[in-house]
Amino acid sequence: MTLAARRAWRAVSPYAYITPFFGLFLAFGMFPLLYTAFVSLYRVELQTPGDMQWRGFGNYAAVFTDPYFWTALRNTFTIGVLSTVPQLVMALGLAHLLNYKLRGRTFFRTAMLLPYATSVAAATLVFAQLFGRDFGLVNYVLGLVGFGPVDWQTGTVASQIAVSTIVVWRWTGYNALIYLAGMQSIPSELYEAAEMDGASRWRQFVHVTLPGLRPTIVFTVVVSTIGATQLFGEPLLYEGSVSGGISHQYQTLGLYMYEQGWGFFHLGRAAAIAWVMFLLIVVLVGANALLARRRSRKEAGR
């Protein structure tokens, strides 16, 4: 190989290495996104996908005037809060415990991933039995302490708590390991200095661990927000209905999109819902990033 050819290869080789990634991203990421935006401007039915009629923003207008869309949006927000907040708080506490030198740490860390590795279908079906109205274990335990049976499938708050419990169970261990990795990257000298100053373990956690975990916490909040917005499998399999219950009491945006596209065969409207979800995620992630940046600037200015 000549000197000119070697120089040319050195200049081109970095782009050659990253070309497969960008090729796959364009084929399976960017193209579906842009094509969905294109389809959302047309009236497309599942039975006749080749027959496309221009509607402009008519699909978006139909979505925003549908009361079930606002119900699904409200349910998505409620279930997202009920699942994300307890999930991250519990994950933070578990990671803090696993960060200490305990017997069998490797076993407990491995066990944390078992719920995440479990199939969402299997987990949801088991929890649906646990939350059964007449023969569920949860109502049986509540009966032992004097409470009457709760209808976990038709009640609005009860069904949303049940679906949120499945999400919490599946993702708490995953986030705990992320927090644990972040805790292990905090220098031990900071804890030693705090201990020498007489700080208790709680004060060490508040003044050393939490500030050191701030980037990790922001990351988990962003990822959990995206996951809550796209929640689909758990509410779909909880009762097996795309409507999210008799009165749509736990229908999320993902279920609403599926119902419009594959239940009512309105692919154009489903594409519009997909883009509304995409823009909602962008707004939520941007708001989280803005709040985190403002907080960092305030602390840097102190």
Side-chain angles (χ1 to χ4, degrees):
M1 183 180 294
T2 63
L3 181 60
R6 290 179 180 177
R7 290 179 178 177
W9 171 246
R10 289 178 181 176
V12 175
S13 59
Y15 300 99
Y17 290 133
I18 63 176
T19 296
F21 166 77
F22 283 102
L24 292 174
F25 173 75
L26 291 174
F28 300 101
M30 185 60 67
F31 173 74
L33 183 66
L34 297 178
Y35 187 72
T36 301
F38 171 77
V39 172
S40 68
L41 302 177
Y42 289 83
R43 181 182 182 274
V44 185
E45 300 298 320
L46 184 61
Q47 303 94 325
T48 56
D51 185 13
M52 304 176 65
Q53 301 176 10
W54 172 258
R55 289 201 65 187
F57 291 101
N59 287 325
Y60 293 92
V63 168
F64 288 126
T65 55
D66 187 358
Y68 289 125
F69 165 77
W70 299 105
T71 301
L73 180 62
R74 183 176 62 252
N75 292 341
T76 301
F77 175 78
T78 306
I79 295 175
V81 173
L82 289 175
S83 61
T84 300
V85 176
Q87 172 192 148
L88 297 184
V89 172
M90 292 171 58
L92 195 59
L94 290 173
H96 185 61
L97 293 176
L98 291 176
N99 197 32
Y100 289 104
K101 295 182 179 179
L102 302 174
R103 291 184 178 179
R105 286 186 303 174
T106 304
F107 169 77
F108 288 115
R109 293 175 182 177
T110 304
M112 286 292 175
L113 279 178
L114 291 180
Y116 171 71
T118 305
S119 168
V120 61
T124 305
L125 291 176
V126 170
F127 272 89
Q129 296 298 319
L130 293 176
F131 284 104
R133 181 183 181 278
D134 298 322
F135 304 103
L137 180 62
V138 176
N139 277 345
Y140 173 76
V141 174
L142 291 177
L144 294 178
V145 295
F147 291 96
V150 179
D151 196 342
W152 296 101
Q153 290 188 337
T154 59
T156 300
V157 177
S159 60
Q160 291 181 0
I161 291 176
V163 173
S164 301
T165 303
I166 306 172
V167 180
V168 171
W169 180 82
R170 289 194 70 237
W171 290 97
T172 298
Y174 175 84
N175 287 304
L177 291 184
I178 294 179
Y179 286 146
L180 179 61
M183 289 178 182
Q184 292 180 343
S185 65
I186 300 175
S188 58
E189 292 81 5
L190 297 178
Y191 292 100
E192 295 174 358
E195 188 174 359
M196 292 180 62
D197 290 338
S200 62
R201 286 192 173 182
W202 172 250
R203 288 188 174 274
Q204 292 178 28
F205 177 76
V206 173
H207 298 289
V208 178
T209 304
L210 288 182
L213 277 181
R214 184 168 295 114
T216 308
I217 293 175
V218 172
F219 169 77
T220 54
V221 169
V222 170
V223 172
S224 299
T225 301
I226 295 174
T229 307
Q230 298 177 334
L231 192 62
F232 176 76
E234 289 85 350
L236 173 65
L237 298 172
Y238 179 62
E239 194 182 5
S241 172
V242 295
S243 61
I246 298 176
S247 58
H248 299 253
Q249 67 268 17
Y250 60 90
Q251 184 183 52
T252 60
L253 287 175
L255 270 184
Y256 177 70
M257 178 185 66
Y258 184 85
E259 182 184 43
Q260 291 295 321
W262 281 263
F264 300 147
F265 311 126
H266 304 320
L267 293 184
R269 189 175 300 181
I273 299 169
W275 256 87
V276 170
M277 292 174 61
F278 172 73
L279 296 177
L280 179 63
I281 291 173
V282 171
V283 171
L284 293 176
V285 172
N288 284 328
L290 183 62
L291 292 175
R293 183 176 301 178
R294 286 186 176 180
R295 185 177 181 86
S296 299
R297 288 179 178 176
K298 287 183 179 180
E299 294 184 353
R302 291 179 181 177

